[in-house]
Amino acid sequence: MSMRRKWGHGLANLLLAAASLCILAPVLLIVNVALKSNNEFLNRPSSFVESWEWENFGEAWKQAEMGLYFKNSVLFTVVVALGTCIIATMAAYPIARKHFRGTNVLYLMFLSALFLPVALVPQVMLMKYLGFLNTYHGFIMLKIGGSLAIAIFILTGFIKGLPKELDEAAVVDGCGYLRYIFTFVFPLTKSALSTVAMLTGIGTWNDFINPFLFLTDKDMRPLTAGLYMFFGQYSTNWTIMAAGIIVVASPLMAAYFLLQRYIISGVTSGAVKG
């Protein structure tokens, strides 16, 4: 290996290490605060934790009523991710195979949605007109609609790389259109679907603004709404709030580590084949 290449690899590793530190430092800071008592945090906010207060997590779960909010978050995340994967696949397959005229125009319309700002006021007016405000199905449909653009972009690029001979063989064997999508396209796009499900799940699980706009009933709001309970008018218990942040973020972190292999392969395959 030449000296220039060694310097290049060393510089790349240094930049990656710096980027990793920038990402991990806030996480470690929150963990450090979450394990402190309130008195220890107020007296020594920047020091390392001395006595670990595991009770903070139970107190955060209790104070923020996270039991109810956790059920709502799981419901929204699972249904939105599953619905987005199904609808996006059924839309991306005919676009990738150009089964009708105007597929390129339709595809560009979906791509343009990635760059357009979110129109909250028209969304509120439309949801109110349709009677979808403060309903589970209305909020789920809103989140699915907002996730379709990036999902169709990823899946279309991935499906273009699938051999068309499979389509022809399915037609010869008498396989129906929907049956072919569910029995062949879905398994073959497993890695891309994992990427779509993870991106959609992150957006739904971490959503904070939309639940307050479209779900006026407090009992219907997701887990992120529970974090708002920790902010008081005159004081805030920062250690309990930090524990609550960890409780909210932990399920997504666990899901990412479990699906990491599929997510990375889905992104790279879609980028190469698109």
Side-chain angles (χ1 to χ4, degrees), residues 58-217:
E59 191 66 26
W61 184 275
K62 180 180 178 181
Q63 287 188 16
E65 303 178 19
M66 288 187 176
L68 174 63
Y69 295 139
F70 187 83
K71 295 178 183 178
N72 291 334
S73 287
V74 172
L75 172 65
F76 290 139
T77 303
V78 172
V79 177
V80 170
L82 184 61
T84 301
C85 288
I86 294 175
I87 297 174
T89 303
M90 297 185 68
Y93 175 70
I95 291 176
R97 291 294 192 251
K98 300 185 185 298
H99 284 173
F100 54 90
R101 292 183 178 180
T103 53
N104 291 332
V105 176
L106 182 61
Y107 184 57
L108 289 176
M109 291 178 62
F110 280 112
L111 289 183
S112 64
L114 296 174
F115 307 99
L116 296 177
V118 178
L120 288 178
V121 175
Q123 283 183 354
V124 173
M125 296 178 62
L126 180 62
M127 293 280 284
K128 183 178 180 181
Y129 177 78
L130 296 176
F132 286 167
L133 284 178
N134 205 37
T135 61
Y136 283 106
H137 63 275
F139 186 75
I140 289 172
M141 292 174 65
L142 174 73
K143 295 301 297 182
I144 291 176
S147 305
L148 284 179
I150 184 63
I152 291 175
F153 171 71
I154 294 174
L155 289 170
T156 301
F158 193 90
I159 293 174
K160 285 181 179 179
L162 299 179
K164 294 184 179 181
E165 289 77 10
L166 291 175
D167 302 4
E168 299 170 359
V171 173
V172 172
D173 291 339
C175 183
Y177 191 82
L178 292 178
R179 181 185 175 188
Y180 176 74
I181 292 178
F182 282 98
T183 58
F184 288 95
V185 177
F186 273 103
L188 292 173
T189 57
K190 180 174 61 175
S191 58
L193 287 173
S194 300
T195 305
V196 171
M198 192 65 201
L199 293 176
T200 305
I202 290 174
T204 304
W205 187 276
N206 291 335
D207 194 359
F208 179 79
I209 299 298
N210 287 322
F212 280 94
L213 291 176
F214 302 105
L215 298 175
T216 57
D217 188 353

Side-chain angles (χ1 to χ4, degrees), residues 233-261:
Q233 184 177 1
Y234 301 104
S235 64
T236 299
N237 193 326
W238 295 103
T239 58
I240 302 296
M241 189 182 71
I245 293 174
I246 295 175
V247 170
V248 172
S250 295
L252 282 183
M253 296 175 63
Y256 176 78
F257 283 116
L258 292 175
L259 299 174
Q260 182 180 9
R261 178 167 61 92

Side-chain angles (χ1 to χ4, degrees), residues 41-57:
F41 172 75
L42 293 176
N43 294 326
R44 297 179 299 276
S46 59
S47 64
F48 288 104
V49 59
E50 296 180 358
S51 60
W52 292 14
E53 298 289 337
W54 296 102
E55 296 82 4
N56 289 344
F57 295 95

Side-chain angles (χ1 to χ4, degrees), residues 7-31:
W7 277 102
H9 281 289
L11 181 60
N13 292 332
L14 183 62
L15 292 176
L16 288 175
S20 301
L21 182 62
C22 292
I23 295 173
L24 290 176
V27 177
L28 296 177
L29 178 62
I30 293 176
V31 173

